[in-house]
Amino acid sequence: MVAQRALSEAEVDRVFHALATSTRRDILRRTIEREQSVSTLAAEYEMSFAAVQKHVAVLEAANLIVKRAEGRERLVRANPEMIARARALLARYEELWRSRIARLDDLLAEPAPSTSSGTHGGSGTQPTHDDTTDPRTEQGD
């Protein structure tokens, strides 16, 4: 197994930007299934060929797809290596958030400190303070 280097901040930004729209996610899904020409992809969407080309360019800039020329056609296929790296990044985020949630669950599961410790006659009421000794209630003359 080849060790993967961590994605740079710029690469992470490009991946999240590329995956931010449903059209690009769909193009990626289609190119995972099989290599397709940009023309074939464009025929699937209610937008111009140029618009689909721009979506493909964003995915290519994020290295999520690879484009190659075959005659006059441009064929597009998913890049499994970058998809694996993006997946590993998302798995690290998932692990981070799961550990944070687990710590929060642990904190919430701890029993609350008892308010009736017997020092106040067991009534559970707060002791009364002499207003002259509480600095929050002292008034200057």
Side-chain angles (χ1 to χ4, degrees):
M1 180 176 180
V2 177
Q4 297 176 347
R5 70 170 177 78
L7 294 172
S8 71
E9 287 299 314
E11 288 172 315
V12 170
D13 288 346
R14 283 191 294 269
V15 166
F16 280 123
H17 174 70
L19 297 175
T21 63
S22 60
T23 300
R24 288 194 287 266
R25 290 189 303 270
D26 190 60
I27 290 170
L28 184 60
R29 181 190 57 79
R30 290 172 187 274
T31 60
I32 286 172
E33 293 172 358
R34 65 180 161 72
E35 185 176 60
Q36 297 187 42
S37 70
V38 176
S39 318
T40 302
L41 287 169
E44 297 295 323
Y45 303 101
E46 293 184 16
M47 62 181 74
S48 69
F49 178 82
V52 172
Q53 279 184 310
K54 288 180 182 180
H55 283 299
V56 168
V58 171
L59 289 163
E60 187 177 25
N63 205 20
L64 289 167
I65 62 169
V66 177
K67 192 165 53 169
R68 69 179 180 89
E70 187 173 286
R72 292 178 48 188
E73 286 191 312
R74 298 295 173 255
L75 299 176
V76 179
R77 67 174 168 77
N79 180 353
E81 179 187 328
M82 183 54 100
I83 292 170
R85 292 175 70 196
R87 187 177 191 173
L89 170 70
L90 291 172
R92 286 192 302 274
Y93 279 123
E94 179 182 12
E95 182 181 319
L96 171 73
W97 282 105
R98 285 188 185 276
S99 70
R100 288 180 177 178
I101 290 169
R103 286 195 312 260
L104 184 58
D105 285 345
D106 291 344
L107 285 172
L108 293 174
E110 289 179 6
S114 176
T115 57
S116 58
S117 63
T119 58
H120 307 304
S123 67
T125 60
Q126 295 294 322
T128 51
H129 291 283
D130 179 4
D131 286 343
T132 59
T133 60
D134 189 345
R136 293 172 294 172
T137 58
E138 284 185 5
Q139 295 180 2
D141 290 20

